[in-house]
Amino acid sequence: MSPEEINKLPILEQFNLRVVLKVSKIVKVEQHPEGPMLYILSLDCGDEEPRQIVSSIVPYYKPEELLNHNIILVYNLKPANFRGVRSNGMLLAASQAGDEEHETCEVLFADDIPVGTILEPEGYEVPADVDTFCYVKADKFFSLPLYTKDGFVEIEGKKLVGDGKNIIAHTYVNGEVG
């Protein structure tokens, strides 16, 4: 199916055909040498090699609050450089509804879901060709809005699930996810 054909589908279908969310374990946390607000995180995604992402969560978390926890990784987000360091994905975090200034952040932990698990909206199957998905650009990812509702992470009214478990926000139970 072409990108143009996918764009014509409902949001849930687009999400299912474009986005790979994978449970990943944080195995190393470093302060970015050129970015006081940035961490460089090394992740175990269940792949042969660890994956590196850069995240602007320094104001919200100490390294020991992140280390050895499972997070949700936008696995196929197009890589980007942050002050000279390549980021191969993005972690998901919830924020307070209407937080335009990005002053709130709750990393969505998934410690009860095995590393490597791919998440999908409830009622959807992981596509068989998920390993061949193209990169999704950040602007396209953000056009497929994830949010929290009563603590559950949802898209278009469907809860995000992996290994039969829901993804839960504990602080920002009604807000945006990105």
Side-chain angles (χ1 to χ4, degrees), residues 15 36 60 70 81 98 102 132 146 150 162 172 176:
F15 185 89
Y60 311 103
N70 290 358
N81 287 317
H102 304 288
T132 63
L146 288 166
D150 299 326
Y172 302 113
E176 288 89 29

Side-chain angles (χ1 to χ4, degrees), residues 109-172:
F109 293 112
D111 292 327
D112 59 340
I113 301 175
V115 167
T117 300
I118 296 175
L119 306 175
E120 290 297 325
E122 61 188 346
Y124 283 78
E125 300 275 328
V126 174
D129 61 347
V130 75
D131 291 331
T132 63
F133 272 31
C134 294
Y135 288 127
V136 63
K137 293 180 180 178
D139 60 340
K140 187 61 187 174
F141 173 75
F142 287 114
S143 76
L144 306 170
L146 288 166
Y147 55 88
T148 56
K149 182 178 178 190
D150 299 326
F152 295 100
V153 177
E154 298 184 3
I155 181 166
E156 293 283 299
K158 297 286 187 180
K159 294 179 176 107
L160 202 58
V161 295
D163 196 40
K165 298 174 182 82
N166 294 309
I167 306 304
I168 306 287
H170 300 283
T171 302
Y172 302 113

